Every structure is written in C-alpha cells, then in structure tokens.
Amino acid sequence: MTANAQSHDPAPPSGRTALVIHGGAGFVPKESLSAADQKEIRETLGRALDAGNSVLRSGGAAIDAVEASIRVLEESPRFNAGKGAVFNAKGGHELDAAIMEGHTRRAGAVAGVTTVRSPIRLARAVMEHSPHVMLAGAGAEAFADTQKDIERVPNSWFDTPMRRRQLEEAQRKEATQKTAVIAGDDGNVRRYLGTVGAVALDRAGHIAAGTSTGGMTNKRWGRIGDSPIIGAGTWADERCGVSGTGWGEYYIRANAARDICARVEYRGDSLEAAANEVINKVIPAMGGDGGAIALDRDGNIAMPFNSGSMFRAWVRPDGSRGVAIHED
C-alpha cells in the first residue's frame, strides 16, 4: 500500500463534533431584507443549529442531528422547504428530500410528495423501513401511508403569501415572454431559492448529510432537482458530507455533492479547495449558480456560494459558532 493510499484510510474518531446548516443560496440584496426579516431568519437558523447541536453534544448520531436541524427549517415559512415551499405551475406544492449516512452509505430520498409535513423524515423512513433509496410521487405517498409516525397535511398547508407572489411574478413574466419562466431563468425572479440542508459530524467520527426543498417556483411536468438525488445535491461518506443549494439542473449534471467528496478522497484535496472548485468553477462554467455546505471527518467546514447570498450557520469542533447571510 502506498503512502498516499494510507493517508486516505479512515482516521480514528476524535470525539469532536461539528455541524453546518443552510437555508438556501440565491440573490437576496441586503437592502431587500428589513431588520425584522434578518432577525427572524437568523433566529430560525440559530434554533435549527441548536436542535442539531444538542443531539451531537449529548453523544447522539450525526443522522439524528441532521434530521433535527432540517425539521426546524421545514417548519419555517422563510425557507423553501416544508411550510415555505414554493408553488409549482399548477399552484400546488411538490416537495423533495434526501438523507445519507456516510459510514454505512445508507440513503433515503423522496420526490414530488404533496401531503407530507416533514419530507426529510419520510426520506429517512425510506432509508430505514424500505428496500429502496428513492420513492417518488404517488408511490412515496403510498409508502407514507404505511408509516404511522409520518404526519400528513393538506397541500394547502404549505401555502404562504410570499411564495404566491413569487409564482404570480413568474407567470406574469412567462405570459409576456411567451416562454417558460422558473426561478432560475431571470435575475429578477431568481431572488431566493431557499432549499435547506445540514451536515453533521458526531463523536464516533460518523458524518451524515440531508437536504429538503420545495424545488423551483413555477416548475412543471413533475420536475425534480438535485436535492433528493444522491450524489448531486446530497452526499455523505466516511470522509466528507455535502448538501447543495442552487440551480439543481447543473448540480445534477456535475454530480456536485459527490464530486466535492471525491476530490477529497481520490486527490487528497482539502475540503475548502474541493468545494470551491466545484461550486465556483465547475458549475458556473456550465451556466449554473448556487452554493453548498460541506464538512469533513476532521471537523473542517466549507460554505462556498456564488449567488450573492446563502443563509447558513455552523458550530465548529472548538465550539465556536456563527450565522451569516451574505459575505459577512
């Protein structure tokens, strides 16, 4: 075995923990957020961080921390997941989520669900209580029927005035331009993507990652983005975990989340270098934008984005923590 191969062997657990979360990347000018808006967003990110970090501090598993953080964000109308999910072209909501446990490579995902209050919880149920990795649409809903702990809500429960305005704006532009307009086609529409995600490292040295989203405003034809696709928007292995947020079609084409971790595993890149190259070079070169959060087994955190803003929060192994929206 070469020295380089030995350097890639999993290290013994350090007992340190770390957590990083995001509430989505997008173009959100500072002046567009009032002081009250910023306060609410930061407080919600802080609550989500506390929910996951309390699991880790008590010796809990990374996958439990990921689910705990994401469920807080799914309950907030501020983010494009769960309660704050965007509208599709028909005026309804189709939600996607995925979760992955790095040391076992177990994964679960759902796409196009319409009555599940917490898609991340259903994704985990797919991982733990089915022989499959991804379930979609009516099949995912039927599986949810078999899970007594999965809370159901009418599709209208996800409605929020802000998301309704975004749909109306996109459809006005569509009528004027005579072509399909989704959040991502135009700078005036692509203000706020809002997908949520989390990556955690627990005391055993295990990493988990998860992502939950409502997709893109005015999406049609059962469109599915990168968030529920293992390797594209969500990935975890023994060394690295990633949750992406951005223009999903490009993250799928780049296999972005896995690519970041593959650069760490195969080339020995630092987490920061790997994440920056994929998010700030590979994806923009194809025409996409967005961001990602990443975490490695040493507790290093990377949070690159190229979209003007990315709602994010983190706790490092030394206990230091932060919350940020723009380049602050």
Side-chain angles (χ1 to χ4, degrees):
M1 181 178 291
T2 67
N4 187 54
Q6 290 175 346
S7 71
H8 284 183
D9 289 342
S14 66
R16 296 176 295 181
T17 66
L19 175 66
V20 58
I21 67 175
H22 71 77
F27 179 60
V28 185
K30 290 184 178 181
E31 61 273 15
S32 71
L33 293 175
S34 68
D37 289 336
Q38 290 209 36
K39 183 174 184 291
E40 182 180 348
I41 290 167
R42 289 176 180 273
E43 287 179 349
T44 305
L45 288 168
R47 287 198 306 273
L49 195 68
D50 288 341
N53 195 42
S54 66
V55 172
L56 298 173
R57 287 171 61 96
S58 65
I63 199 159
D64 293 328
V66 164
E67 181 184 350
S69 289
I70 290 177
R71 289 188 67 186
V72 172
L73 298 175
E74 287 180 332
E75 288 293 304
S76 170
R78 286 287 186 177
F79 304 102
N80 177 19
K83 177 59 180 174
V86 298
F87 286 89
N88 63 19
K90 293 183 177 181
H93 308 274
E94 297 169 307
L95 295 84
D96 310 326
I99 196 165
M100 187 169 186
E101 185 177 66
H103 66 292
T104 63
R105 300 287 178 98
R106 294 191 305 162
V110 293
V113 297
T114 59
T115 68
V116 176
R117 181 166 180 161
S118 175
I120 195 67
R121 192 168 190 183
L122 183 61
R124 184 169 179 180
V126 171
M127 180 184 80
E128 295 181 336
H129 303 301
S130 87
H132 306 300
V133 169
M134 177 183 282
L135 300 177
E141 296 281 333
F143 174 71
D145 291 340
T146 72
Q147 304 298 301
K148 63 180 181 180
D149 294 331
I150 300 299
E151 184 175 355
R152 312 298 280 280
V153 293
N155 194 249
S156 59
W157 184 85
F158 302 107
D159 292 1
T160 58
M162 177 178 69
R163 299 305 186 193
R164 176 69 69 181
R165 289 194 298 271
Q166 289 177 342
L167 175 65
E168 292 170 350
E169 179 183 357
Q171 292 186 335
R172 281 197 301 271
K173 289 182 178 293
E174 183 176 83
T176 300
Q177 298 176 10
K178 307 298 184 185
T179 187
V181 173
I182 58 173
D185 281 350
D186 181 271
N188 292 321
V189 178
R190 191 181 60 227
R191 284 200 303 264
Y192 182 34
L193 299 177
T195 293
V196 307
V199 188
L201 170 70
D202 63 29
R203 288 181 183 174
H206 298 153
I207 296 171
T211 314
S212 182
T213 188
M216 283 183 153
T217 297
N218 205 32
K219 65 183 180 181
R220 58 189 66 189
W221 306 307
R223 179 264 185 189
I224 297 169
D226 63 306
S227 297
I229 298 178
I230 301 303
T234 306
W235 178 263
D237 58 33
E238 299 89 341
R239 299 167 179 81
C240 171
V242 176
S243 173
T245 167
W247 198 338
E249 279 69 12
Y250 295 93
Y251 282 62
I252 295 170
R253 289 163 57 188
N255 200 34
R258 172 56 179 153
D259 191 16
I260 291 170
C261 291
R263 291 166 186 265
V264 172
E265 180 179 359
Y266 298 141
R267 298 203 318 195
D269 289 3
S270 70
L271 183 74
E272 187 78 23
N276 280 330
E277 186 167 354
V278 173
I279 299 301
N280 292 325
K281 293 183 180 179
V282 173
I283 288 175
M286 294 191 296
D289 63 357
I293 54 172
L295 175 64
D296 70 16
R297 67 188 179 198
D298 296 319
N300 297 308
I301 292 171
M303 300 172 283
F305 62 95
N306 53 53
S307 51
S309 60
M310 183 169 74
F311 302 133
R312 60 205 187 277
W314 62 92
V315 179
R316 300 186 188 278
D318 63 5
S320 63
R321 57 186 287 151
V323 179
I325 296 175
H326 298 96
E327 293 287 355
D328 44 13

